[in-house]
Amino acid sequence: MSRSTFLAARNSRHRTAALALYRALLRTASRIPLAENAPKHPLAQIVRKRFSKNTGYKSYRLIYAAMAAGYKFLNLLTRAQTPNSPEHSQVLNHLQSVRSTTAHSRTKPHPKQYKRAPPPEPLLINVAKENEPPKYTSNILPRPKESLKGPRKVPSVSATADGQPFVRLKKPQPYTLSKMIGRKGRIFSNRIENIMDLDERVTSEAALEDEWDRMMDDLLAKESGQGGKRRRTVPYSWDAEDDAKMETFGWSVQLSRLWWEWKVEKTWEDWIARGDALQELVEQERALAEREEGQSNAASGRRNRTPRRNPLDPDDSPPNVGVSTVQAMPLLDIARDIELPSDSKQVQDGGAYDPFLSPSWSALVKAQERRMLNWTGRRAERGE
């Protein structure tokens, strides 16, 4: 059996001994005669500082050494109560040295206190109004020529495997940027995994729970019919009213799935808006770089020749493909049409805000109600 760690603060015997020693030192130190012009007794302050400094000790060796030193100084302070004794002279000499050291340290100029730098401004700022799709702009890009130390280097727009856009401004890539990209990617992946978990595991478990409830309802109906004491209930069927379906476990699973689909669409819409804004800012940077390069070439006397087009480069003509008429973000379009500014007002006021009671969520559930009811019924009939 491993030996348990000694915690001095949780040991009643050590705590009692330490408090008794602390109070004895304070009483003894306050009785030592000092100069009359001393405003406060400095020995009591020294005792308090030393005890507060040693409160974090957990080692037997350090605790034993501190307690032994405390009892040693208790004897010293007791003998120092007698004036003109060697111990009294030793205490006065120590206090004099402390005063001289403190006065000398005060004469030295203190280092300049630097204020904490404010956090940097974000690269993209959402300027969209309430109840509108996100729209981003930047106060950093495009960069003015005066802020550059050398020739302008055009940044590049990149994206992760999940489709999260970001811009590379310099090499190597900053650690904070990599950390934020990984964090947002994990959040998006977790939402997708939650949808998959609902389809593959939770839906089947909810169907079994609903089947158990139907069996119990049938038994209760039979018992009430035989004994006549219980009111006969309507047998549960998936062809019954929709209100009965909304009281099942399967319906709650579909609500959870709708919630995560809504969150995924919000993330995807935000990433698309960020990608468009970054691409536009990079194009502005490229235009400024070409303009500055053309001015430098004209100043040096060199002709600006149009580079020959590489046949391997993709053509800039629009692709000859059809355009889908399906809404890209159907859930967001439904919620945005009904969402009221009162939701955001409650959040800004700092009051309690429940997103499941908002008008946008109610409208979204109402619009997707038929689809979720049909899906719930099919899952229950299959017995998944």
Side-chain angles (χ1 to χ4, degrees), residues 198-217:
L198 289 172
D199 290 339
E200 298 175 0
R201 183 182 63 86
V202 183
T203 302
S204 58
E205 296 177 357
L208 293 176
E209 293 291 339
D210 293 334
E211 181 66 23
W212 174 263
D213 290 344
R214 288 195 296 272
M215 294 171 60
M216 295 298 103
D217 291 343

Side-chain angles (χ1 to χ4, degrees), residues 147-158:
S147 63
L148 302 176
K149 298 181 180 180
R152 184 184 297 273
K153 297 181 180 180
V154 181
S156 60
V157 180
S158 304

Side-chain angles (χ1 to χ4, degrees), residues 159-329:
T160 61
D162 296 329
Q164 178 185 176
F166 63 96
V167 64
R168 299 182 185 271
L169 293 174
K170 60 182 179 179
K171 294 182 179 180
Q173 183 170 299
Y175 171 75
T176 54
L177 177 60
S178 302
K179 186 176 180 180
M180 183 56 63
I181 292 173
R183 180 176 177 273
K184 289 186 176 181
R186 287 190 297 272
I187 293 175
F188 184 77
S189 301
N190 291 336
R191 291 173 178 174
I192 299 296
E193 291 175 359
N194 289 336
I195 297 176
M196 296 175 60
D197 182 65
L198 289 172
D199 290 339
E200 298 175 0
R201 183 182 63 86
V202 183
T203 302
S204 58
E205 296 177 357
L208 293 176
E209 293 291 339
D210 293 334
E211 181 66 23
W212 174 263
D213 290 344
R214 288 195 296 272
M215 294 171 60
M216 295 298 103
D217 291 343
D218 294 341
L219 290 176
L220 290 175
K222 292 179 180 180
E223 292 180 0
S224 60
Q226 293 177 359
K229 296 181 180 180
R230 295 185 180 179
R231 185 175 55 87
R232 182 176 180 84
T233 58
V234 179
Y236 194 89
S237 174
W238 288 110
D239 298 332
E241 296 294 334
D242 293 341
D243 294 340
K245 295 182 181 180
M246 293 182 183
E247 298 176 357
T248 60
F249 290 94
W251 173 256
S252 61
V253 172
Q254 295 304 315
L255 286 178
S256 302
R257 193 179 193 280
L258 180 64
W259 170 260
W260 289 119
E261 288 177 353
W262 190 24
K263 300 293 286 186
V264 168
E265 283 197 9
K266 279 187 175 181
T267 303
W268 192 247
E269 184 186 42
D270 183 76
W271 285 2
I272 292 176
R274 287 176 179 271
D276 294 340
L278 291 176
Q279 185 63 33
E280 183 179 357
L281 294 173
V282 169
E283 291 297 334
Q284 296 177 7
E285 282 272 339
R286 184 175 290 108
L288 291 176
E290 293 177 356
R291 187 185 310 168
E292 294 171 1
E293 185 180 359
Q295 293 177 359
S296 61
N297 292 340
S300 60
R302 294 192 300 266
R303 295 182 178 179
N304 298 325
R305 295 182 298 176
T306 304
R308 183 178 298 178
R309 182 181 180 276
N310 190 351
L312 298 179
D313 293 342
D315 192 3
D316 295 336
S317 59
N320 187 15
V321 294
V323 180
S324 176
T325 58
V326 180
Q327 293 180 342
M329 306 290 176

